[in-house]
Amino acid sequence: MLTQLSSSPRGGSTAPVSVKATTHGLHPCEDDTTAISTRSRDPVSKSGHQVTTNTETFGADMRKLSRLLRETQGTAAYRVHDSIHYALTAGAYYAMFIFGLLSVPAVGTSAFSAMLLSTAVFLRFAGISHAAMHRSYDTNPLVPVHSRRYARGLVRRLTDWVDSIDPHGWNIEHNHLHHFALGEGDRDPDCVAHQVSHFARISGGYPTIPFVVSCLLWKLVYYPVNNIEREERELVQDKGYVFPVVCTLDVAVAGIVGKLPTGSPPRHFYARVLWRWSVSMCVYVLARYVVLAHAVSYAIGTPAAALQWHLFMAEMCSNVHSFVVIAPNHTGGDLCVFEGRVAANSDEFFERAVRGSANYTSYNYVTDTLMGYLNFQIEHHSFPWLSMYGQRRAQPMVRALCEKHGIPYTEEHVLIRFVKMYRVFTGRDVQAVKKKV
């Protein structure tokens, strides 16, 4: 039965219903049914009949699909297709990055060069590094990356992960906490709905200001600091400290020089976070803006200052690009956040992956690549180990199972999702809280 689902068409989305917003980004619901019915219309089958949600049978079918996908990963045909998808993405990255550097003018500014470099930076982070750190290619000998070696040590950090984010912190914050505590306010470090109170406090009544700042600088002052703080937090969890909702650069600085709330971790905790962030940023800046810029300048004769300026513009554009694609994945008035912990691969784990995530409408390989394959977010959170090709292949199967079992499957254009995320970020909309059954 599951193998026949791959022919199901892509597309479709739930129709959200507006809900009165609060300043906290969350809407506590009395029970499981209320949490969903206030957000989207009841799922209906193709025959027009209402479908009854059954979490247990949905989870069982998703585990069957998981086994099927894992078995398929070992076939020669799958490995060849998988390696082709990887080669095309890696080839696009190298082509755009190299041509972007070569096309930098000696005098003036080239928006074309900056956009090529920006897209290349995004592809390296969201497409290649993201999948590699999730062990998506560990079983495919045709793909030259492996999680055991990727970004390990200084040399591999410079060749694999030339980014402002610390790869070890990313592994804890994203691969473990975000994926296996999706939407849990006390554990998921990327739950925007639970961070609204922090941004409202620092906005001075103008919530759009921190939104714009986040859009431009989030991979510099939010992601790397929050990743490191989450990794450090795991080391002192048993001491009963009260940690901030989110640790941005300003929070870390305030933890050293400001007045600490009762129960906060000591100042040396934030000092260590800032020290590791500083080291990570120094490695990134030296590698990209000093070594790379001067090496390319020496090779092709373009002034190093011109290369550095275009690399900086590319960084800002890449921040916006990644923010628009990544931040809305789990945020919007039609998605849920959750209370209570669930086990990995349990019935509710798979239901949360669907109810707490949104896919983006895509049309072909080009649009998939430009979104770093993050348009398959439901499939990615259901099966984090799937590669880019695997997510695309699994999408119609997962969507068909959601329709069969009455689980709302959300898929909309990325810009529509961006607007919905903005409304939650600024307190104009809320997300329903779905409690553990």
Side-chain angles (χ1 to χ4, degrees):
M1 177 65 181
L2 289 174
T3 55
Q4 297 176 350
L5 296 176
S6 60
S7 61
S8 302
R10 291 175 57 179
S13 62
T14 59
V17 179
S18 61
V19 179
K20 183 179 179 181
T22 72
T23 58
H24 300 291
L26 301 171
H27 176 68
C29 298
E30 295 180 359
D31 54 49
D32 177 56
T33 305
T34 306
I36 303 305
S37 63
T38 57
R39 291 300 170 188
S40 57
R41 65 168 178 254
D42 295 331
V44 177
S45 67
K46 290 182 179 179
S47 61
H49 296 93
Q50 184 172 328
V51 180
T52 302
T53 299
N54 191 322
T55 302
E56 292 183 3
T57 56
F58 176 70
D61 274 357
M62 288 291 280
R63 283 188 289 273
K64 290 179 183 178
L65 177 57
S66 177
R67 289 192 292 271
L68 173 65
L69 294 172
R70 285 191 181 276
E71 291 172 1
T72 308
Q73 273 190 324
T75 64
Y78 182 96
R79 289 177 174 177
V80 169
H81 282 91
D82 199 24
S83 63
I84 291 174
H85 271 73
Y86 172 84
L88 289 172
T89 304
Y93 159 72
Y94 284 112
M96 284 189 284
F97 195 75
I98 292 172
F99 191 73
L101 290 173
L102 294 176
S103 62
V104 171
V107 179
T109 299
S110 170
F112 176 71
S113 299
M115 291 306 299
L116 281 178
L117 293 170
S118 169
T119 307
V121 170
F122 173 79
L123 287 183
R124 184 74 188 190
F125 169 66
I128 299 174
S129 296
H130 182 213
M133 296 291 279
H134 269 297
R135 305 178 181 179
S136 300
Y137 300 112
D138 285 7
T139 60
N140 191 343
L142 301 180
V143 178
V145 296
H146 197 287
S147 63
R148 291 181 181 176
R149 299 181 296 272
Y150 200 85
R152 299 295 181 94
L154 180 60
V155 175
R156 294 302 297 263
R157 166 74 188 275
L158 295 177
T159 56
D160 295 336
W161 187 282
V162 186
D163 204 283
S164 57
I165 301 173
D166 179 83
H168 301 292
W170 166 267
N171 186 51
I172 297 294
E173 190 266 7
H174 179 81
N175 293 357
H176 295 278
L177 294 176
H178 173 59
H179 269 272
F180 295 100
L182 177 64
E184 297 177 25
D186 59 333
R187 297 181 65 213
D188 184 357
D190 296 327
C191 186
V192 174
H194 286 275
Q195 299 172 0
V196 170
S197 59
H198 166 74
F199 292 111
R201 178 177 56 82
I202 66 174
S203 68
Y206 300 94
T208 301
I209 294 178
F211 181 84
V212 173
V213 172
S214 298
C215 189
L216 293 172
L217 301 174
W218 82 312
K219 282 186 66 183
L220 301 176
V221 301
Y222 164 74
Y223 236 156
V225 186
N226 204 41
N227 285 347
I228 294 171
E229 191 266 353
R230 284 289 175 155
E231 184 181 9
E232 292 294 325
R233 184 186 298 192
E234 291 296 301
L235 302 176
V236 296
Q237 281 281 22
D238 57 342
K239 295 186 179 181
Y241 293 131
V242 178
F243 295 97
V245 174
V246 59
C247 188
T248 51
L249 183 59
D250 62 299
V251 173
V253 172
I256 297 177
V257 300
K259 182 179 179 180
L260 294 176
T262 303
S264 295
R267 298 188 189 278
H268 64 76
F269 171 84
Y270 292 104
R272 179 169 172 78
V273 170
L274 278 178
W275 167 251
R276 289 188 55 193
W277 172 80
S278 301
V279 171
S280 182
M281 288 298 298
C282 285
V283 170
Y284 169 65
V285 170
L286 288 173
R288 173 148 294 175
Y289 293 94
V290 178
V291 177
L292 176 65
H294 284 85
V296 174
S297 176
Y298 178 80
I300 65 176
T302 303
L307 292 166
Q308 291 166 343
W309 168 240
H310 283 79
L311 286 170
F312 174 76
M313 287 196 301
E315 180 68 42
M316 295 299 100
C317 293
S318 181
N319 268 266
V320 175
H321 186 173
S322 59
F323 187 80
V324 170
V325 174
I326 295 174
N329 279 146
H330 309 288
T331 311
D334 52 349
L335 300 180
C336 290
V337 292
F338 309 97
E339 286 184 1
R341 302 185 179 186
V342 296
N345 300 320
S346 63
D347 299 335
E348 196 165 349
F349 171 84
F350 288 113
E351 185 178 357
R352 287 185 176 192
V354 179
R355 292 192 187 275
S357 307
N359 279 13
Y360 304 143
T361 305
S362 187
Y363 308 97
N364 50 50
Y365 168 77
V366 174
T367 53
D368 289 347
T369 302
L370 290 176
M371 289 188 282
Y373 278 76
L374 300 176
N375 48 308
F376 300 114
Q377 197 66 196
I378 293 174
E379 291 70 33
H380 177 53
H381 270 266
S382 298
F383 316 111
W385 39 269
L386 276 180
S387 63
M388 294 180 284
Y389 168 68
Q391 293 170 33
R392 170 188 272 188
R393 183 177 178 275
Q395 194 267 351
M397 307 184 203
V398 174
R399 190 171 185 274
L401 287 180
C402 289
E403 180 178 347
K404 173 185 175 183
H405 296 286
I407 308 295
Y409 188 97
T410 303
E411 183 177 21
E412 291 182 305
H413 194 280
V414 62
L415 296 181
I416 295 177
R417 300 306 314 176
F418 182 75
V419 171
K420 291 185 177 182
M421 184 268 295
Y422 168 78
R423 289 182 56 80
V424 172
F425 192 105
T426 57
R428 292 173 170 84
D429 203 352
V430 294
Q431 290 187 245
V433 179
K434 184 177 183 297
K435 298 182 179 180
K436 182 180 178 181
V437 178

